[in-house]
Amino acid sequence: MTKIQIPGPEVFDEMLHGDGARAHYQAYLDWLQKTPDASLEQKRLEADTLFRRFGITFNVYGEEEGTERLIPFDLIPRAIPHSEWVQLELGLRQRVTALNRFLHDIYHDQDILRAGIIPAEQVLTNQQFQVAMMGVDLPGETYAHITGVDLIRASDGEYYVLEDNLRTPSGVSYMLENRKMMMRLFPELFLAQSVAPVEHYPNLLLDTLQCASEADSPCVVVLTPGRYNSAFFEHAFLAQQMGVPLVEGADLFVRNSCVYMRTTTGPRQVHVIYRRIDDAFLDPLAFNPDSMLGVPGLLSAYRDGNVVLANALGTGVADDKSIYPYVPDMIRFYLDETPILNNVPTWLCRKEDDLAYVLENLQQLVVKEVHGAGGYGMLIGPKASRGEIEHFRQLLKQNPSNYIAQPTLCLSTCPTMVEEGIAPRHIDLRPFVLTGREIRMVPGGLTRVALREGSLVVNSSQGGGTKDTWVLEGAPC
Amino acid sequence: MLSRTASNIYWMARNLERAENITRLLDVTHNMALMPNSKGGRQELLAPLTITGRLDQFHERHQQVSADALMDFFLFDELNEGSIYSCIQAARGNAHSVRDNLSSEAWESINTTWLELRHRRQKGISHQGVKGLLEWVKQRSHEFRGAAYGTMLHNNAFHFMRLGTFIERADNTARILRVKLEVMTSQRDNNQAIDFYQWNALLQSLGAYEAYHYSYTGGLSARNVTELLTLSAELPRSLRYCVGAIMNLLSAIEGNQGLAAKRLCAELHARLEYGQVEFILDFGLQNYLNDLLRRIHTIGDEIHRSYWEGA
């Protein structure tokens, strides 16, 4: 039997509680304790070989072009009791609904700004705010068709939203491949317990994208920057699973304000573009003129309503870290409801009082760039050296509005296979929320795990791994 | 289908076919190099370099033509675009960017080949032996073809893949034939033993040795070898067979594109279908092959123009 390291009392562990397992993990723990070391190790090697053969890899920027790496996959699943997921799902629906309402509002009447709920300059001077979207009416008033909400569970056992990813959230392919791998390696676990299925996600996604267009039988494509992009595997995977073409910018062109793709039988009109390219690269005529990834004229076709972009242009303003603190206010303002999911308390460094507090308490806080992502450009106070803290102090003073700060939340842990055996490692959760005629999601999402001991950074670009995520139906809680 | 996708699939197949062709050629060269020089062993070493037009590039890197240097150059040299390593790398790159259009078994097959090839390259040639490496490449090529035939939809993507295979194959057969012919006519002393080994090598490198003996009784003759490799309707590497396949594939591809390629191909195919070996030999095989290669290249250019530049 593998030795399982018991987590300290100061963190919330998803599986272990005191001496034993939490109720919904009991069956799994019993199985784990009966499974010999060697057999687990052999399964781990098998998973590695298979992932490599399938080419389920990601590319790391800054390394030699075309360097493909595996995302470490951990064999121990993260399990969530069904009743808990029901609450999360309600909260996610509420939150994504409010965010879409917010986006429609700021690009139209701007009620929320006029009501003084969010300072107007916060929105209007935001780099992610797209003036070109003002007054543009989108089908169904949907801006974020696909949202990936990052949730963590803190030591108090409560879930908190860490950020809302409304631009091009990635990771859903790993959610699907992880499940496939687990079912292949451990079929007996799935016979013994009822794990909610996730495999229908591509169908839901295709349906969401088709519904986003008012055309009769809309032609949907996935737009990728190409095979050297870090998430290329996912782009190809989703295109294949949905049975739609995977296109690059050069495959598309605009004529008479309509978008076409170049096919072997001549031009074919495209109605919906699931784009995995940032706003700034979409159209070299409207944005970054050096972009080789985009399609000249796309913006004007889009504004004329002849093509749907998913997600819409300009959604970034709503997942910006400086707007994040206002999401609970949005929920109250648009829906007149009490927010179900917690926000992490956040200090906005552009406010003088907040900045003073942050500068005084750098050792305890996490400082993030407002537009940052991928775990780059952040300071984790309790883990930082004195030099790093001083460096950030200077950065904060030079450009305070570029930063926010939050208390260092201790992410919950989950037992994870590491070199020494099985030990607690910090995890988060990214469920994927699809907005079409209705809001739909598959149970669970992607669980990311920080593999280094004590690390709180779960991003794959920073050495994070992933786990299969189980929503256990009928499990005791 | 998307033009870029069609182009990538076509080039994937061309690169794979190129890798397989060079493998066959090296296999024969390896055997011939073991022969005493008096039987033409030395000459044989030059063949892969002249056929692929890489003699100068080889000399930039290696002073002498030796079996070892040659194997290294064609197996694993990443600076040689025509090496097996480079061809498979390029093919895998093509496949990677359109992997959503391949069946997962076809994709996994080519991806596994690439991963294992890198591994084998690290281990080095001497560790595994040339023969074993070449056998392995051939087997991987067969496996990919099997996976693609057995698991992909036989639709446009599949047709473009085979189109790439047969264009590359036709080109290869014509080139090999042309170079071998030159070698043999330059040997004025008309040594029958050398002739025998040369014809033998030619047939082996096109996988046609058994086919020859099945089709013709008696020994090897220039007439029969030429007939088999140019005009046979049954040999999968003969020029007629390849051009016929290209013609059928072009008409199977959906849409009205590619008229010029279709016309040129049908014309060429008629010449081969109704061709006679006596006429070819009277006309001069060298001239005949030069003309044929030109026509195949034009067809390739037309495919480019109409399917991936036309839209």
Side-chain angles (χ1 to χ4, degrees):
Chain A
M1 188 210 100
T2 314
K3 188 175 171 307
I4 303 176
Q5 195 183 318
I6 306 295
E10 69 288 355
V11 294
F12 184 98
D13 191 84
E14 300 286 342
M15 184 191 291
L16 305 168
H17 180 53
D19 295 341
R22 294 182 191 278
H24 66 287
Y25 256 121
Q26 190 62 53
Y28 180 80
L29 187 63
D30 290 345
W31 172 88
L32 185 63
Q33 284 173 332
K34 270 184 280 178
T35 305
D37 272 14
S39 139
L40 273 184
E41 179 56 22
Q42 189 220 327
K43 298 279 187 190
R44 200 183 61 77
L45 289 175
E46 191 180 335
D48 254 27
T49 311
L50 289 170
F51 275 127
R52 211 173 274 283
R53 192 174 88 205
F54 300 154
I56 303 175
T57 52
F58 74 110
N59 302 321
V60 183
Y61 299 122
E63 290 189 11
E64 185 193 343
E65 196 165 86
T67 307
E68 294 161 26
R69 278 212 260 155
L70 289 184
I71 293 192
F73 168 64
D74 186 65
L75 295 182
I76 301 176
R78 184 258 188 89
I80 301 170
H82 183 254
S83 56
E84 211 170 278
W85 170 253
V86 170
Q87 274 306 301
L88 285 179
E89 187 172 334
L90 282 175
L92 289 165
R93 281 173 188 280
Q94 180 192 54
R95 195 166 172 107
V96 171
T97 307
L99 285 163
N100 269 310
R101 293 279 291 273
F102 168 73
L103 283 162
H104 179 76
D105 184 24
I106 59 165
Y107 290 124
H108 290 81
D109 300 337
Q110 305 185 333
D111 291 337
I112 200 164
L113 306 184
R114 283 189 280 130
I117 310 277
I118 303 178
E121 81 273 9
Q122 272 293 93
V123 173
L124 304 180
T125 63
N126 193 301
Q127 290 170 24
Q128 300 292 325
F129 183 78
Q130 296 286 0
V131 181
M133 290 299 287
M134 283 304 297
V136 176
D137 293 322
L138 299 182
E141 297 181 3
T142 305
Y143 285 75
H145 305 82
I146 300 107
T147 312
V149 180
D150 287 349
L151 295 166
I152 57 151
R153 201 206 291 255
S155 345
D156 58 5
E158 288 283 318
Y159 284 99
Y160 290 85
V161 175
L162 205 56
E163 58 187 41
D164 307 284
N165 295 287
L166 301 166
R167 288 172 245 189
T168 54
S170 64
V172 78
S173 56
Y174 300 109
M175 170 185 91
L176 296 166
E177 288 293 344
N178 288 353
R179 173 60 55 84
K180 212 157 76 184
M181 185 62 71
M182 286 295 276
M183 294 180 83
R184 175 174 178 147
L185 296 177
F186 306 109
E188 69 274 21
L189 286 172
F190 290 85
L191 286 174
Q193 301 190 64
S194 116
V195 179
V198 295
E199 292 85 339
H200 54 298
Y201 179 85
N203 299 17
L204 295 183
L205 177 61
L206 179 60
D207 190 54
T208 302
L209 294 170
Q210 284 173 335
C211 286
S213 164
E214 282 154 0
D216 275 343
S217 51
C219 169
V220 176
V221 299
V222 177
L223 176 60
T224 174
R227 60 178 284 241
Y228 295 117
N229 182 267
S230 69
F232 178 75
F233 162 69
E234 177 154 308
H235 308 162
F237 174 86
L238 289 174
Q240 185 177 43
Q241 295 292 311
M242 291 192 287
V244 305
L246 176 67
V247 304
E248 295 178 11
D251 298 327
L252 302 179
F253 66 94
V254 175
R255 186 183 293 159
N256 299 329
S257 191
C258 288
V259 181
Y260 296 88
M261 60 179 171
R262 300 173 214 275
T263 78
T264 53
T265 47
R268 179 172 169 206
Q269 194 177 349
V270 171
H271 302 94
V272 182
I273 301 177
Y274 175 26
R275 49 97 171 205
R276 300 291 299 255
I277 292 182
D278 289 340
D279 287 2
F281 296 99
L282 273 178
D283 181 349
L285 295 183
F287 308 109
N288 184 347
D290 299 330
S291 171
M292 305 286 285
L293 307 176
V295 186
L298 181 59
L299 180 66
S300 74
Y302 181 54
R303 283 173 49 95
D304 289 346
N306 293 330
V307 69
V308 172
L309 293 176
N311 290 343
L313 196 68
T315 51
V317 65
D319 71 9
D320 188 279
K321 293 189 178 67
S322 65
I323 298 295
Y324 162 88
Y326 299 104
V327 177
D329 296 328
M330 290 176 200
I331 293 171
R332 284 183 276 264
F333 182 76
Y334 294 114
L335 310 178
D336 198 19
E337 293 175 10
T338 311
I340 299 169
L341 295 172
N342 304 307
N343 246 32
V344 181
T346 303
W347 290 276
L348 297 167
C349 298
R350 66 182 174 82
K351 292 186 186 169
E352 216 167 291
D353 292 353
D354 285 19
L355 178 64
Y357 177 84
V358 170
L359 287 173
E360 209 143 289
N361 294 283
L362 274 176
Q363 271 104 339
Q364 282 87 51
L365 300 175
V366 176
V367 183
K368 296 177 182 170
E369 279 183 31
V370 172
H371 309 295
Y376 293 105
M378 60 189 275
L379 173 84
I380 301 178
K383 310 254 176 219
S385 69
R386 189 175 295 184
E388 285 166 330
I389 287 184
E390 285 316 306
H391 175 62
F392 259 80
R393 190 185 302 282
Q394 293 312 314
L395 291 175
L396 277 166
K397 283 182 184 161
Q398 279 161 18
N399 189 6
S401 58
N402 194 33
Y403 297 93
I404 56 141
Q406 292 170 338
T408 314
L409 291 177
C410 193
L411 277 59
S412 63
T413 56
C414 184
T416 300
M417 284 179 71
V418 293
E419 261 177 44
E420 310 86 84
I422 295 175
R425 289 291 181 268
H426 295 291
I427 57 170
D428 79 347
L429 175 67
R430 177 179 285 183
F432 295 90
V433 183
L434 298 173
T435 307
R437 251 176 259 134
E438 47 181 336
I439 291 185
R440 289 180 293 184
M441 57 194 100
V442 297
L446 177 69
T447 294
R448 298 184 296 177
V449 52
L451 292 173
R452 257 175 298 143
E453 188 173 1
S455 169
L456 295 170
V457 186
V458 295
N459 304 77
S460 53
S461 50
Q462 311 269 315
T466 64
K467 285 170 171 288
D468 190 17
T469 309
W470 293 2
V471 170
L472 289 173
E473 285 171 353
C477 35
Chain B
M1 72 186 300
L2 215 53
S3 296
R4 180 181 49 85
T5 304
S7 160
N8 267 308
I9 289 187
Y10 170 89
W11 280 104
M12 172 194 74
R14 282 198 75 159
N15 284 317
L16 279 179
E17 179 68 20
R18 200 170 286 180
E20 185 183 328
N21 291 339
I22 192 73
T23 305
R24 292 181 179 281
L25 203 52
L26 288 181
D27 199 12
V28 176
T29 307
H30 183 69
N31 290 344
M32 292 294 279
L34 303 178
M35 301 261 174
N37 202 15
S38 59
K39 297 280 185 294
R42 199 78 346 220
Q43 273 293 354
E44 201 55 35
L45 280 182
L46 286 172
L49 293 166
T50 40
I51 288 167
T52 58
R54 295 185 190 276
L55 195 58
D56 293 343
Q57 199 192 354
F58 179 83
H59 280 303
E60 285 167 21
R61 218 81 50 74
H62 302 276
Q63 299 209 308
Q64 280 200 324
V65 182
S66 70
D68 283 353
L70 192 82
M71 290 303 158
D72 186 60
F73 184 71
F74 275 116
L75 268 168
F76 291 143
D77 191 337
E78 62 186 332
L79 297 176
N80 172 11
E81 280 174 26
S83 72
I84 291 172
Y85 182 82
S86 300
C87 288
I88 291 181
Q89 180 176 36
R92 193 269 182 182
N94 295 134
H96 188 217
S97 57
V98 295
R99 58 181 285 174
D100 54 307
N101 285 274
L102 301 175
S103 64
S104 51
E105 286 173 43
W107 156 250
E108 280 167 35
S109 167
I110 191 169
N111 194 42
T112 305
T113 303
W114 166 238
L115 294 172
E116 200 177 327
L117 180 66
R118 283 203 303 184
H119 183 64
R120 284 173 180 261
R121 181 168 179 250
Q122 268 169 4
K123 285 204 298 189
I125 298 175
S126 56
H127 195 81
Q128 331 163 52
V130 169
K131 208 67 185 166
L133 270 168
L134 296 174
E135 276 300 316
W136 175 79
V137 177
K138 268 194 262 180
Q139 277 169 11
R140 296 305 303 173
S141 181
H142 294 323
E143 201 225 46
F144 175 79
R145 194 173 301 122
Y149 265 67
T151 60
M152 279 174 65
L153 285 178
H154 288 204
N155 61 6
N156 279 343
F158 186 73
H159 300 327
F160 276 109
M161 184 177 80
R162 297 187 66 218
L163 197 56
T165 304
F166 284 107
I167 291 266
E168 185 65 30
R169 192 177 286 179
D171 179 79
N172 179 64
T173 299
R175 276 166 185 267
I176 289 189
L177 209 49
R178 191 172 62 169
V179 167
K180 289 285 180 178
L181 196 76
E182 216 167 306
V183 171
M184 290 165 72
T185 46
S186 70
Q187 289 161 348
R188 288 163 204 285
D189 51 353
N190 207 1
N191 181 331
Q192 289 218 334
I194 293 186
D195 267 10
F196 172 80
Y197 286 109
Q198 290 285 357
W199 287 121
N200 209 357
L202 172 59
L203 289 170
Q204 297 272 15
S205 60
L206 293 169
Y209 180 78
E210 286 144 30
Y212 183 91
H213 290 291
Y214 186 83
S215 310
Y216 301 95
T217 49
L220 294 171
S221 81
R223 182 206 172 274
N224 289 351
V225 172
T226 307
E227 185 178 65
L228 180 71
L229 296 179
T230 49
L231 302 179
S232 165
E234 290 160 356
L235 182 77
R237 289 176 185 274
S238 83
L239 292 167
R240 175 176 167 189
Y241 188 96
C242 294
V243 172
I246 297 167
M247 182 177 73
N248 292 334
L249 287 163
L250 284 172
S251 64
I253 288 167
E254 194 189 343
N256 300 321
Q257 250 74 6
L259 279 180
K262 286 172 190 165
R263 191 188 64 239
L264 291 169
C265 200
E267 208 180 305
L268 181 55
H269 186 250
R271 293 167 73 97
L272 289 161
E273 188 176 2
Y274 302 112
Q276 283 184 319
V277 69
E278 283 71 24
F279 168 79
I280 296 175
L281 294 172
D282 282 351
F283 183 74
L285 186 53
Q286 194 70 254
N287 290 337
Y288 185 83
L289 290 171
N290 286 340
D291 174 63
L292 202 128
L293 270 168
R294 246 193 324 273
R295 287 167 187 269
I296 289 169
H297 291 168
T298 314
I299 293 170
D301 290 345
E302 283 302 332
I303 289 172
H304 245 265
R305 222 189 317 281
S306 39
Y307 293 108
W308 23 103
E309 284 166 15

